[in-house]
Amino acid sequence: MTDPTRLTKEKIRWAIDQYQSLSTPPEYRIRLQDELGVLQPAAVLIPLFQVDRQWHLLLTQRSQNLVQHRGQVAFPGGAQESGDVDLEATALREMNEEIGLKPGDVEVLGHLGDIPAITGYLVRIFVGVIPWPYLLKINPNEVESVFSIPLAWLAEPEHRTLQYRNYDGQRLPVVFYKLFQGYQLWGLSADMTVALLDALALVR
């Protein structure tokens, strides 16, 4: 990846557009999607913001009260609802409901495609720039806490490992990041982060 301090919104937007055109899902994701059958549409938004020319990703720790993925680190998002005009609207609505970020305050730069989740969703990964600092309003029914990780830290290969977990008789690769200020990014959200980093690697 290029020096994160040299990344601009325009370069990130270009990289995301190129990634959509050039990337193909890994074989195991294609197989998983076929085996899961009909998947419910969902969307997340990877929020980016700058502090002293350094890009950061905003993440949440999900509430322990939730049925799925309780206590896990995640990006704001959820299932598409009938009132959502498209999946981008889904991602923005969920962000507003979870952490109080208004849709009009987000500049969506594009999306990184769709990724299947073993919980039965096909999740579209949007990327957007948010103003910072920002007065967030955390919904305690969905979110335990909110934190950020520098993009430069996430881009360091030594900060993540690839492990394998058994699912329905298959060994699937799972990305695990090292702890960052007590939080661990892993699983689907880590996959999404790596997809963003792969896209930004296209920037020269």
Side-chain angles (χ1 to χ4, degrees):
M1 189 180 75
T2 190
D3 178 0
T5 62
R6 297 177 59 190
L7 286 172
T8 63
K9 286 189 296 185
E10 291 71 24
K11 288 181 178 180
I12 296 172
R13 191 191 305 274
W14 177 87
I16 291 169
D17 182 65
Q18 292 298 304
Y19 183 82
Q20 284 186 50
S21 303
L22 299 174
S23 68
T24 55
E27 178 60 34
Y28 79 90
R29 284 189 193 155
I30 297 173
R31 186 176 68 249
L32 179 63
Q33 186 170 338
D34 289 341
E35 292 174 356
L36 289 171
V38 178
L39 299 178
Q40 184 175 355
V44 303
L45 195 139
I46 300 179
L48 290 169
F49 65 88
Q50 273 188 307
V51 175
D52 297 330
R53 297 183 62 203
Q54 294 288 341
W55 287 99
H56 296 249
L57 270 63
L58 190 73
L59 298 111
T60 70
Q61 183 175 34
R62 291 168 60 84
S63 169
Q64 295 289 347
N65 300 322
L66 295 172
V67 175
Q68 293 181 334
H69 309 295
R70 63 168 61 95
Q72 291 185 11
V73 167
F75 295 109
Q80 187 175 33
E81 297 183 355
S82 58
D84 299 333
V85 296
D86 54 25
L87 285 171
E88 181 177 320
T90 298
L92 293 172
R93 173 184 54 76
E94 288 283 348
M95 171 175 278
N96 181 245
E97 291 176 359
E98 291 179 15
I99 60 175
L101 237 162
K102 297 177 182 178
D105 292 337
V106 183
E107 182 177 354
V108 178
L109 303 181
H111 70 80
L112 298 164
D114 302 332
I115 185 171
I118 60 174
T119 46
Y121 295 93
L122 187 62
V123 186
R124 182 156 296 175
I125 314 161
F126 289 92
V127 180
V129 174
I130 63 173
W132 201 260
Y134 194 96
L135 183 60
L136 300 174
K137 296 180 181 178
I138 297 174
N139 179 351
N141 294 321
E142 298 191 50
V143 175
E144 188 79 22
S145 59
V146 178
F147 66 102
S148 65
I149 304 180
L151 184 63
W153 187 92
L154 292 163
E156 292 293 338
E158 63 267 25
H159 289 160
R160 65 179 186 263
T161 59
L162 188 65
Q163 302 179 26
Y164 286 84
R165 294 290 186 270
N166 291 321
Y167 171 75
D168 198 23
Q170 300 183 61
R171 294 182 73 244
L172 299 178
V174 181
V175 176
F176 282 81
Y177 271 92
K178 291 183 178 180
L179 286 176
F180 183 85
Q181 297 180 354
Y183 295 99
Q184 186 169 43
L185 172 61
W186 68 282
L188 198 65
S189 297
D191 281 347
M192 296 173 182
T193 301
V194 172
L196 175 61
L197 294 171
D198 287 346
L200 296 179
L202 300 172
V203 177
R204 294 291 183 265

